[in-house]
């Protein structure tokens, strides 16, 4: 994402190909984030390969809020709704140098889990793991 424009960094061709893969993959859940019925961002929740589902149920593969919709609580609310809808064990990964993303997820997870999440840094990435417990579970 471009920090200046709030535009997801992909050419139209790459965007089209990427989105086609997301919608064709039965282990991914592409979501549009709305505010007042207007698109404000998107998320992609993915399931790991079946042979790794004993480690984690869901991953936040993509999460993007448009620049004009940031700092309004939309990302926080969307993340909480997503975690509640996809109950289970989660992993979120950010690049260590993306301080805004690392700070965002630390704040969200501290609030959502009351501080009960694990974080490790490895190979230039921050990995957070936690469990959401809402009864609405996707299998």
């Amino acid at each position: 994402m471009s920090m200046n424009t709030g535009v997801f960094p992909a050419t139209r061709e790459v965007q089209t190909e990427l989105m086609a893969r997301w919608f064709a993959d039965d282990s991914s859940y592409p979501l549009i984030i709305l505010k007042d019925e207007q698109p404000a961002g998107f998320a992609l929740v993915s399931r790991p390969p079946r042979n790794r589902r004993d480690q984690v149920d869901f991953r936040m593969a993509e999460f993007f809020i448009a620049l004009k919709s940031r700092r309004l609580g939309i990302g926080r609310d969307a993340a909480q709704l997503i975690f509640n809808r996809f109950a289970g064990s989660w992993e979120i990964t950010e690049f260590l140098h993306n301080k805004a993303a690392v700070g965002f997820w630390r704040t969200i997870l501290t609030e959502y889990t009351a501080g009960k999440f694990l974080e490790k840094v490895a190979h230039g990435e921050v990995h957070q793991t936690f469990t959401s417990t809402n009864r609405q579970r996707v299998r």
Side-chain angles (χ1 to χ4, degrees):
M1 133 185 76
S2 168
M3 296 308 286
N4 295 329
T5 63
V7 174
F8 190 72
T11 64
R12 184 176 279 306
E13 296 80 30
V14 171
Q15 257 182 343
T16 301
E17 179 184 325
L18 198 60
M19 294 190 84
R21 274 188 288 160
W22 291 352
F23 283 96
D25 183 354
D26 66 356
S27 66
S28 292
Y29 304 91
L31 307 165
I32 301 296
I33 298 169
L34 301 175
K35 177 64 176 171
D36 299 327
E37 299 183 19
Q38 295 299 311
F42 64 88
L44 180 66
V45 174
S46 67
R47 304 264 299 172
R50 291 195 190 283
N51 65 342
R52 300 201 56 219
R53 289 191 184 163
D54 60 327
Q55 298 167 12
V56 66
D57 296 316
F58 300 102
R59 290 193 171 103
M60 188 67 75
E62 301 287 345
F63 191 88
F64 175 79
I65 301 296
L67 186 61
K68 68 180 182 177
S69 298
R70 293 183 190 164
R71 303 218 175 268
L72 301 174
I74 295 168
R76 179 197 63 233
D77 293 347
Q80 291 175 354
L81 287 169
I82 292 167
F83 299 151
N84 287 343
R85 175 64 177 95
F86 296 90
S89 59
W90 276 85
E91 179 180 54
I92 300 175
T93 304
E94 313 87 64
F95 290 114
L96 182 60
H97 72 274
N98 188 343
K99 304 230 181 278
V102 172
F104 172 81
W105 286 114
R106 283 177 178 158
T107 299
I108 296 303
L109 294 176
T110 297
E111 180 181 322
Y112 184 80
T113 68
K116 295 179 180 162
F117 68 97
L118 298 176
E119 181 175 289
K120 67 178 182 176
V121 177
H123 310 293
E125 295 181 324
V126 178
H127 299 264
Q128 292 108 350
T129 55
F130 66 99
T131 301
S132 65
T133 57
N134 193 294
R135 302 242 184 256
Q136 294 181 14
R137 187 178 182 112
V138 174
R139 297 188 189 271

